[in-house]
Amino acid sequence: MRVKIEKLVYGGDGLAHSDGTTLFVPFVLPGEEVEVTATERSKRFARCRLESVLTPSADRIEPVCPHYGVCGGCHYQHISYEAQLHFKEEILRETLRRLGHLDLHHPITVHASPPFGYRNRAQWKIRPLENRSRRPLERSGDGQSLGVGYFRAASSVLCPVETCAVLSPTLSSVLDALRRGFTDHSLPEEIQEVEAFADAEDQKLLLNVSCSSMRTTKKTVFEKLSQEIAGIESVLLRESRGESMELKGPGFLHCRVGDKRFRVGHLSFFQVNRHVLESLAHTVATSAGSGKLVFDLYAGVGLLSAFLMDNFATVEAVEADPAAARDLEVNAPANGKNISSHNQSAETFLSQWKRKQGAKSPDVIVVDPPRAGLESGALRALLDISAPRIIYVSCDPSTLARDLAQLCSKMYKVKEIHLFDMFPQTYHIESLVRLERAS
């Protein structure tokens, strides 16, 4: 069918309508007339495959990646980078209006990134390749060659990749080394997944390696990876269907953000775009202002706490995940004597703080929750404590809108919005909203 794309929506698709049905179409731009085929239907909407672009947008460009459209990693390589930023700003504003019922007239400050070569964490799948030629392939075991890559969009089918334009130079070299290692059979075929994380200088590496079996291969895996890949600081080997783990190395590396230094362990979360991270941390600190006490909830390894501590007498950093909390415990005193770390959920910490005899009310509360947003208990506790200011850092506009609807319907007003393009070429949006308590 022939349709006209009305706008882009969060998730990477374009939206159109036909005969009362809402259509979602990937790899399109607003204003384009396209030919599509419905691949999934329900009563109210259909997901479509793009067949051809009949009237291309002036913002349409040629994707740089030969795997674009098959690999599920990127969604916007057909859009010029300037236009990507524009559409993300529109999507953020429209999502906050539609789901959060917020009629915002504030400007959104956009923080750009290098459009390619930015990503310093990646996860590759290793799977048997399809034998399209039906010729015998030299490989031990089941006779199949192994490919390295990502899953195809909305599937668990491997898309083998030769290049990946969003990877940092060091991670690109790791991908090349893995491909060579499985092509010449120097890497064990028991390896099923490799996750690589590079430091801020893009020199040193942590590797998380998942294997089908560790009984006979762990020594070989450590040796072969060290031979094939330069810059490895530490390797964590895990068995895919069990709890067995083996560590080779210190278990962490150090990352610098501005003049701050952070220990980041194998299982700790840390942002993947080193080019935007310092801007995010400084913006959080500036928006928070200054005072006697600030809470940093969902603190991770302590990135934001380290920047907040310059302007507050006391920083209470709270992180529930045990692995990240271990790093936070080390990073807190290393970056500031006025940072206290807590291995608790946000809800537990806030509830206990509220019950303390003579507990001070914080000047600011910073929250940086996962994609699911604030837990209902944590949100209720935030409203109960009612700090004068909340800084909400979000990686999902939908859950951000849901939480802001609750906060702003009770006692807060939006005063400032930032968009950080942490993931160019994808639909993902990192944002910061400053809320102030209504007088």
Side-chain angles (χ1 to χ4, degrees), residues 98-394:
R98 180 172 52 85
L99 298 181
H101 310 293
L102 299 169
D103 188 14
L104 301 174
H105 302 288
H106 303 275
I108 297 178
T109 303
V110 177
H111 303 255
S113 165
F116 295 103
Y118 65 86
R119 193 176 181 98
N120 61 312
R121 186 189 290 272
Q123 186 180 84
W124 299 288
K125 309 294 183 182
I126 294 91
R127 297 289 188 274
L129 290 169
E130 293 182 22
N131 185 1
R132 297 182 184 278
S133 65
R134 300 188 180 275
R135 297 173 183 172
L137 295 175
E138 294 182 4
R139 187 66 182 174
S140 59
D142 61 6
Q144 290 181 295
S145 288
L146 297 177
V148 182
Y150 309 103
F151 284 150
R152 297 186 180 199
S155 82
S156 57
V157 177
L158 182 73
C159 172
V161 298
E162 298 178 1
T163 62
C164 179
V166 299
L167 296 181
S168 72
T170 290
L171 290 199
S172 289
S173 69
V174 175
L175 175 60
D176 287 341
L178 292 174
R179 288 179 60 248
R180 289 196 305 270
F182 288 112
T183 297
D184 64 18
H185 316 314
S186 61
L187 287 175
E189 62 185 9
E190 286 81 6
I191 296 177
Q192 295 181 321
E193 182 179 288
V194 176
E195 181 182 33
F197 173 63
D199 65 0
E201 288 75 32
D202 202 33
Q203 297 294 323
K204 298 178 180 179
L205 290 164
L206 285 186
L207 295 184
N208 294 330
V209 182
S210 179
C211 290
S212 58
S213 172
M214 288 172 48
R215 293 180 183 177
T216 60
T217 61
K218 63 184 180 182
K219 184 177 179 181
T220 304
V221 169
F222 289 139
E223 289 178 352
K224 294 298 184 181
L225 287 173
S226 297
Q227 292 170 6
E228 297 285 341
I229 301 170
I232 296 177
E233 285 282 293
S234 189
V235 178
L236 180 64
L237 186 63
R238 296 187 285 185
E239 196 167 43
S240 303
R241 297 182 179 179
E243 297 182 357
S244 299
M245 293 188 183
E246 192 83 17
L247 178 67
K248 181 77 169 179
F252 59 85
L253 54 71
H254 286 99
C255 283
R256 286 197 173 275
V257 180
D259 61 349
K260 315 293 184 181
R261 188 169 181 259
F262 304 93
R263 190 185 90 163
V264 182
H266 280 277
L267 302 180
S268 292
F269 171 78
F270 204 71
Q271 290 284 10
V272 305
N273 188 331
R274 66 193 190 280
H275 302 287
V276 179
L277 203 49
E278 186 175 356
S279 175
L280 172 63
H282 278 302
T283 304
V284 168
T286 301
S287 297
S290 60
K292 294 181 179 180
L293 177 63
V294 59
F295 294 169
D296 180 16
L297 308 182
Y298 312 91
V301 304
L303 169 70
L304 301 181
S305 294
F307 285 82
L308 290 165
M309 69 96 183
D310 293 330
N311 296 321
F312 288 87
T314 302
V315 180
E316 302 289 347
V318 182
E319 174 54 49
D321 179 73
R326 285 193 294 271
D327 289 332
L328 173 62
E329 189 176 3
V330 173
N331 294 328
N335 282 303
K337 294 181 179 180
N338 55 341
I339 305 175
S340 298
S341 61
H342 307 267
N343 183 198
Q344 293 178 297
S345 70
E347 179 182 0
T348 299
F349 171 80
L350 292 173
S351 299
Q352 290 181 354
W353 186 273
K354 185 69 176 177
R355 292 196 299 266
K356 282 183 181 179
Q357 187 71 25
K360 299 176 183 177
S361 178
D363 301 292
V364 185
I365 298 179
V366 176
V367 298
D368 186 4
R371 196 169 301 282
L374 296 171
E375 302 91 343
S376 57
L379 196 147
R380 287 194 299 269
L382 282 178
L383 289 168
D384 191 34
I385 288 178
S386 63
R389 182 176 295 182
I390 293 176
I391 309 300
Y392 193 134
V393 180
S394 167

Side-chain angles (χ1 to χ4, degrees), residues 72-90:
C74 291
H75 319 94
Y76 285 168
Q77 281 199 28
H78 64 288
I79 307 174
S80 70
Y81 186 59
E82 294 76 12
Q84 287 184 39
L85 296 177
H86 167 71
F87 291 126
K88 286 186 177 184
E89 181 182 349
E90 283 192 340

